[in-house]
Amino acid sequence: MKRDLPTPEQILEELSGKVAAHIEHSAPEAFDNALDELLRYHEFLLSLNARPHIVGESFNFAQVQGREFLPPHVRWIRTYRRLFERAAERIPTESHFLRVLSSVPLRLLESPATAELPQDIIEWIIRTGPVMMHQIEAWVTRRTTVEVPKGGSAVPRLALAGADEKSYANVLPEIIGSWERLLQLAPYAYHWRDSLVHSQDKGWAAFAASWPYLWQHLSSTAYCLAVAVWNEDETGAKYFREALVRWPDTLGHREQDHFLRWNNLVFPHVVRLGFPSAVNAVANLRFENAPPPTAEALSDAAIRAAHQDVLLLTSALLLFWTMERKQASDIGGKTARALLLREGRDQLRPAENHLNFRKVLLELFRLWMPGQDQSDRSYDSALDRLVESLDDMTERRVVPGRVYTPSTLNGCDDLMSAFAALLTSALLHAGDENVEGALRELAAGDERLPGGDASLRGILQKLDLLDNALDHSADEIIRVQTTLTDGAGLADSKDRLASVIKLARQVIEEERQKHLDERPVDPKRIERIRASIETALLAKPAQLWFFRNVDIRVTQNETGELIEVQLAVSKRQIVAPPMETPWPGLEGWAASECKVRVAYQAWQSFLRRPRKGVNVSGSVGDEAFWRAISPIVEQIQDSPVLVVADADADTLLRLVHRNSSNLRIEHMQGFELPGSYIAHVEKVAVYGAGSKELGRLLFSSSALRQIDHGCIGEQHVTVDFDLVEGSEGRLRVGFRQMEHWSTAPIFELHDTDHRNVNDKRL
């Protein structure tokens, strides 16, 4: 009987089963050999599926998703989950298993071909660290007890029993060591040093290629810390907090003398650029007359700035848990404070004992600066996903039997109450830090910011959210202040922070107004507006209100009446780049407004033409009226149109809706004038667009035969911008227009009560 060959998943499961069995039998030597066999086969699968991509990028068939819900390489990684679970149970008796398993991602990635693996596969291998931490924390949670102080009642503090706590404290340093060695592998796996020997360009390319690896490790370190804090594991939280604080130093990337005055404004989007472009992108961040940064110095600035972002976001998230009372203890707030003070970074130098308000505020402003790239691949999106993933393990306190929506945060904006708490706590020790000067210096040079003026607008929007959070979460903010300030408090912190927010808004708006005053309007935008208007006006044939199939002629002479149209437009829209949310439809709107003006001018010219007064009995809602005007309609012959006053329009609408008469009533396509066209009654197009004084006008829609547009200088349309006040201004559009009319009669219909009405000319 023919048997099917085993799948890679089945072989991996069989190999992992052997590893698990040796854990159960406490056989370290056999365990090591079985794990080596499992890892070798996993490496073989990765290398076997590696193929050169058609565009030269890394590609692996293990990424291809078939009928299964997950691609193969993800299922292979999940094989290790049950091994981590079994090894965690052996922490008190044989910690060797967990120590060895903690090096699984390191051993999978230490191959010389690591740099050739696709980014997605590398990220999932690094994620085995958080997977392992979940299993360790599950063990910690099962082994914890409630502490009862001597002479007191039980308190909501979880702690391991003595022997378990000692075993756990012994194994954690080796787990952290394996995790940090995985980080130190990056420079070697991506050949940083070897590439720098050849050229700065190659050195920068090697760093850029390793950025996804570094970001995944950094965000996973923050995730492991969040897992420990959520499970109220103070020992694990302490170790991973220190690992997160010293992360750049662990990388072995010594702090460089990069000659960047604004090194905190280096964002990871520079790694997508070639080295010359990256140097140009940070040119505005250098000290005056400073040399350009090297590839190593620029990569150092990007690494440390991103690390600062992750520290701040992680701190805010952990503090948010305390504010929302998601945990029994205040471990979240205490860990947040230790992170912000960088406790554990340098054992030779004591950490600061209080928050620096100016530093925290400027770090927040960096987070709130949207870049030019707003796609899912942007750094802003990566930070939002980090917040979402860190909070994904949590849930609010619930009452059994009730239905609750998930409490997971969606991004950085959901942490505004925590940001407000950080700032109010930092205000306690805020001295003469010249916050206004720092804000003005930052806002004065928007060319330094990742999104230019859009970054300043982003800060202003976030300040509004911060102000709102300050009002709605005041009680929670005051409650956690003592945790962040080591027991101290500040009675007027809310009012002081509100004053700082007001000052920041004022400073930023003042600097933005200076920028606006200095910048000329964008001639390219003005030309696009002008060209759009000209194209719309010279398009033929034209439909101008009640007149159809109007021929448009272009003349090279200055013929026709000079028409000027003024359109209210903010200057912020027509500088380059725009200083408010871009209005992509500005050109189309301006063209539409000018087209309306052409129709209005033609209508005014029409109203000055002679008309014949005709007395007609009955209302437009009566069948007798339409029978009476039938002979007059025949005189028009070509496409008759009836324009009536609003009161008549209401009467006619009731007739049209009831449709109980013997009149022929139709709704024709292509005659719709917004808010005006009613219907075709007896083949007459009826519009409700006339005033009571104007009366009822019956004429041909072909009465306007042609419009000539003459020249203004060398153009048929001119556009200029006039500043009115502040940022408000107007576009001044000029064009020439001359109408040509047919000899078709124009009838003005009156009720029979109007006697002796002569022909009129208005």
Side-chain angles (χ1 to χ4, degrees):
M1 179 178 179
K2 184 179 178 181
R3 301 180 61 185
D4 293 333
L5 295 175
T7 65
E9 287 80 4
Q10 291 172 333
I11 297 175
L12 275 174
E13 186 174 356
E14 182 178 348
L15 293 174
S16 67
K18 294 179 181 179
V19 177
H22 294 311
I23 295 175
E24 292 296 327
H25 293 92
S26 296
E29 291 294 332
F31 163 81
D32 291 346
N33 293 332
L35 182 62
D36 287 342
E37 185 180 6
L38 172 63
L39 292 174
R40 284 197 304 270
Y41 183 66
H42 193 166
E43 292 171 0
F44 166 73
L45 290 178
L46 292 176
S47 62
L48 180 67
N49 286 276
R51 291 292 183 271
H53 196 276
I54 190 172
V55 296
E57 297 179 354
S58 300
F59 176 75
N60 199 294
F61 280 114
Q63 296 173 271
V64 180
Q65 183 172 329
R67 296 181 180 179
E68 299 87 353
F69 183 73
L70 295 172
H73 77 93
V74 177
R75 298 199 303 276
W76 300 343
I77 287 297
R78 293 193 169 188
T79 301
Y80 299 95
R81 180 182 177 278
R82 64 175 180 149
L83 299 180
F84 294 145
E85 181 181 7
R86 296 194 178 197
E89 292 295 333
R90 295 282 176 164
I91 289 177
T93 57
E94 183 56 81
S95 61
H96 171 80
F97 303 121
L98 192 59
R99 288 189 175 98
V100 174
L101 283 172
S102 67
S103 65
V104 163
L106 176 64
R107 294 174 65 176
L108 287 174
L109 292 175
E110 64 184 356
S111 167
T114 294
E116 305 302 323
L117 287 174
Q119 172 183 334
D120 188 42
I121 290 181
I122 291 176
E123 290 177 355
W124 273 96
I125 292 175
I126 295 175
R127 287 182 188 180
T128 55
V131 171
M132 181 182 64
M133 278 305 299
H134 271 295
Q135 302 310 313
I136 292 175
E137 292 301 337
W139 173 82
V140 170
T141 302
R142 289 193 296 270
R143 310 280 287 212
T144 52
T145 58
V146 178
E147 286 189 344
V148 182
K150 184 177 181 180
S153 58
V155 295
R157 175 180 173 83
L158 302 176
L160 286 169
D164 289 341
E165 183 178 7
K166 183 177 180 180
S167 300
Y168 183 46
N170 288 337
V171 76
L172 264 179
E174 293 200 35
I175 293 174
I176 297 294
S178 295
W179 181 249
E180 292 185 332
R181 286 195 297 274
L182 177 63
L183 172 61
Q184 294 168 340
L185 177 64
Y188 301 97
Y190 290 91
H191 313 292
W192 286 10
R193 299 297 179 191
D194 295 341
S195 301
L196 281 170
V197 169
H198 291 87
S199 68
Q200 290 289 302
D201 288 352
K202 289 188 177 180
W204 177 253
F207 166 73
S210 66
W211 174 252
Y213 183 112
L214 298 176
W215 175 254
Q216 185 60 50
H217 191 281
L218 176 58
S219 56
S220 294
T221 305
Y223 187 90
C224 290
L225 171 60
V227 171
V229 171
W230 176 248
N231 289 278
E232 306 196 53
D233 173 14
E234 293 196 2
T235 304
K238 174 180 179 294
Y239 277 102
F240 273 101
R241 171 180 56 76
E242 293 178 351
L244 182 58
V245 167
R246 64 174 180 258
W247 188 87
D249 302 319
T250 302
L251 181 60
H253 206 274
R254 65 180 180 86
E255 193 164 0
Q256 300 286 316
D257 189 3
H258 38 57
F259 302 106
L260 293 176
R261 180 181 181 185
W262 298 90
N263 57 297
N264 63 323
L265 293 181
V266 178
F267 286 82
H269 68 264
V270 297
V271 303
R272 301 183 191 174
L273 308 174
F275 183 62
S277 299
V279 171
N280 289 335
V282 300
N284 294 322
L285 308 180
R286 289 155 45 189
F287 286 101
E288 188 176 358
N289 300 321
T294 63
E296 190 173 13
L298 188 53
S299 63
D300 175 73
I303 286 171
R304 294 185 182 277
H307 173 248
Q308 170 187 296
D309 294 338
V310 173
L311 277 180
L312 183 58
L313 279 180
T314 307
S315 302
L317 178 77
L318 301 182
L319 182 62
F320 179 80
W321 290 352
T322 300
M323 296 176 67
E324 293 293 307
R325 302 177 187 271
K326 288 190 172 185
Q327 297 177 280
S329 70
D330 60 350
I331 184 174
K334 290 181 178 179
T335 306
R337 182 177 187 274
L339 277 177
L340 292 169
L341 296 178
R342 309 297 195 264
E343 291 183 5
R345 177 180 181 181
D346 190 345
Q347 300 299 332
L348 300 178
R349 182 177 56 191
E352 296 181 1
N353 59 5
H354 60 80
L355 302 178
N356 183 296
F357 178 78
R358 172 175 166 172
K359 183 174 181 291
V360 174
L361 182 64
L362 293 180
E363 287 179 356
L364 277 176
F365 277 12
R366 171 186 158 88
L367 283 179
W368 295 343
M369 295 180 189
Q372 296 175 342
D373 182 5
Q374 297 299 310
S375 67
D376 290 339
R377 297 176 60 243
S378 70
Y379 184 57
D380 305 332
S381 300
L383 293 177
D384 284 336
R385 287 194 296 270
L386 173 63
V387 171
E388 184 178 1
S389 66
L390 294 183
D391 193 58
D392 193 43
M393 69 190 78
T394 72
E395 187 52 84
R396 70 183 70 178
R397 295 178 181 271
V398 299
V399 176
R402 294 186 182 178
V403 177
Y404 290 84
T405 56
S407 65
T408 304
L409 302 179
N410 296 316
C412 301
D413 288 355
D414 294 336
L415 293 174
M416 279 299 165
S417 59
F419 293 150
L422 292 177
L423 290 172
T424 54
S425 301
L427 277 170
L428 177 65
H429 299 283
D432 185 15
E433 299 174 356
N434 193 16
V435 173
E436 180 179 355
L439 295 177
R440 196 170 296 280
E441 190 176 14
L442 177 69
D446 62 355
E447 70 280 357
R448 295 189 292 257
L449 309 182
D453 185 75
S455 292
L456 293 179
R457 298 199 303 272
I459 292 174
L460 290 173
Q461 292 171 359
K462 297 303 188 293
L463 286 175
D464 291 339
L465 296 177
L466 184 66
D467 210 357
N468 185 63
L470 194 59
D471 289 335
H472 289 81
S473 304
D475 294 339
E476 290 80 4
I477 290 172
I478 293 173
R479 181 171 57 83
V480 299
Q481 273 187 9
T482 55
T483 301
L484 293 173
T485 57
D486 199 19
L490 188 62
D492 62 341
S493 59
K494 176 183 175 182
D495 295 335
R496 288 182 61 182
L497 182 56
S499 298
V500 174
I501 294 173
K502 181 179 179 180
L503 173 64
R505 283 202 198 98
Q506 179 182 343
V507 168
I508 293 174
E509 288 293 6
E510 287 175 358
E511 294 302 320
R512 292 186 69 226
Q513 186 60 48
K514 291 179 183 178
H515 300 162
L516 185 65
D517 294 340
E518 295 168 357
R519 293 171 186 173
V521 297
D522 182 12
K524 294 182 179 179
R525 189 73 189 272
I526 294 294
E527 174 55 26
R528 290 200 299 272
I529 294 172
R530 191 205 66 79
S532 177
I533 295 173
E534 185 174 83
T535 300
L537 265 54
L538 302 185
K540 55 182 180 181
Q543 312 297 327
L544 301 175
W545 287 3
F546 319 114
F547 307 109
R548 304 176 60 77
N549 299 319
V550 181
D551 189 23
I552 303 297
R553 295 291 179 90
V554 179
T555 68
Q556 302 304 317
N557 302 319
E558 295 186 354
T559 57
E561 180 183 358
L562 181 61
I563 310 298
E564 184 175 278
V565 181
Q566 295 185 358
L567 305 174
V569 174
S570 171
K571 184 183 177 183
R572 298 181 191 272
Q573 275 294 337
I574 54 177
V575 294
M579 293 181 64
E580 63 184 16
T581 303
W583 184 0
L586 175 59
E587 289 82 358
W589 169 79
S592 176
E593 291 294 308
C594 291
K595 193 80 171 177
V596 169
R597 183 58 182 271
V598 170
Y600 173 80
Q601 290 296 129
W603 178 245
Q604 294 301 311
S605 174
F606 173 78
L607 294 180
R608 292 192 292 269
R609 295 184 58 75
R611 290 174 262 170
K612 297 180 180 179
V614 178
N615 295 329
V616 180
S617 62
S619 166
V620 293
D622 299 333
E623 184 175 345
F625 172 85
W626 294 97
R627 301 305 180 201
I629 69 170
S630 178
I632 306 174
V633 172
E634 292 180 358
Q635 296 181 45
I636 295 176
Q637 296 180 349
D638 188 17
S639 303
V641 173
L642 177 64
V643 178
V644 300
D646 293 337
D648 285 337
D650 293 339
T651 302
L652 186 58
L653 280 171
R654 289 193 291 271
L655 172 67
V656 170
H657 292 161
R658 289 196 306 267
N659 199 16
S660 58
S661 66
N662 295 321
L663 297 174
R664 181 179 179 182
I665 300 175
E666 302 172 286
H667 288 85
M668 307 290 288
Q669 296 294 325
F671 286 81
E672 298 85 352
L673 186 64
S676 177
Y677 176 70
I678 300 174
H680 273 67
V681 181
E682 293 295 321
K683 298 185 179 181
V684 177
V686 186
Y687 295 88
S691 64
K692 183 176 181 181
E693 293 75 14
L694 184 63
R696 308 164 183 166
L697 297 182
L698 182 63
F699 55 92
S700 171
S701 65
S702 301
L704 180 57
R705 297 171 53 192
Q706 177 181 318
I707 288 182
D708 294 342
H709 288 292
C711 287
I712 304 176
E714 297 180 354
Q715 298 175 322
H716 290 88
V717 174
T718 61
V719 177
D720 297 293
F721 178 78
D722 297 326
L723 188 63
V724 178
E725 182 179 0
S727 65
E728 299 307 314
R730 59 191 176 201
L731 292 173
R732 194 159 31 85
V733 183
F735 56 89
R736 292 186 180 276
Q737 177 174 329
M738 177 181 290
E739 301 84 7
H740 297 274
W741 301 95
S742 70
T743 58
I746 304 172
F747 297 100
E748 185 174 359
L749 309 181
H750 300 286
D751 292 339
T752 53
D753 293 340
H754 295 81
R755 306 299 186 191
N756 301 321
V757 178
N758 298 320
D759 292 353
K760 296 182 179 179
R761 180 183 179 88
L762 299 182

